[in-house]
Amino acid sequence: MTLNDFIATIDTAVRRGHKVPQQVENVRNALVEALRHPDFLPDAALLPDLRVPYARRLLHRDPAYTIVAMVWAPGQATPIHDHSGVWCVEGVYTGCISVTRFDMQWKSGDVAHFVPHPVLQQEEGCAGSLIPPVEYHTIQNGCTVNAAVTIHIYGGELEMCRIFLPREDGDWDIDQRQLSYTEELVAS
């Protein structure tokens, strides 16, 4: 499978579903199948970048979805964040990651309170999804001494999200984060 073959598979999966839950399920199934043969990402998409919390590389942009490869050096992680109402399917291409989902118990102004779910360890070939309003989570490469690579398919362009920063009282300050790409490796 080539990167272009993978993109075509995801394109078909996105367009088969008319409602978000069906689209997400189609994309998740297509990603799981593709992850059985993890040899389609270009070498440039597999490199960690220690200058940023994690490398975020655009692989494909379409008005209906984007495909992004993320590379997590050991210990690299996200803060608690949301996806600004955009659905996401993510899968582990190589290595393993830890994912923790959170339920927001309350929000008051720029402060929120969360309750965590158990940490999920995801290994190569695993895939999961988020459909808002279930979207608060963290991702971390805490499983290995090697870099982990994940593929994320979003139901649109994810340009901004809310992040949640811990406070001493156990609550979380809410902030906005503009997202960018480490580089764009858009397939032709």
Side-chain angles (χ1 to χ4, degrees), residues 57-69:
R57 295 187 173 94
L58 178 67
L59 299 175
H60 182 73
R61 179 184 286 125
D62 181 275
Y65 67 97
T66 55
I67 303 174
V68 178

Side-chain angles (χ1 to χ4, degrees), residues 20-97:
V20 168
Q22 187 61 55
Q23 278 184 325
V24 169
E25 184 63 21
N26 293 344
V27 169
R28 187 186 164 293
N29 290 340
L31 180 56
V32 167
E33 182 60 32
L35 291 173
R36 292 182 180 163
H37 313 284
D39 59 355
F40 55 88
L41 289 184
D43 290 343
L46 307 176
L47 303 172
D49 187 339
L50 301 179
R51 300 170 297 166
V52 293
Y54 53 90
R56 190 170 184 264
R57 295 187 173 94
L58 178 67
L59 299 175
H60 182 73
R61 179 184 286 125
D62 181 275
Y65 67 97
T66 55
I67 303 174
V68 178
M70 295 186 192
V71 185
W72 312 83
Q76 287 186 324
T78 67
I80 297 175
H81 65 283
D82 68 12
H83 285 176
S84 297
V86 176
W87 62 259
C88 177
V89 174
E90 61 87 22
V92 181
Y93 186 79
T94 61
C96 64
I97 59 170

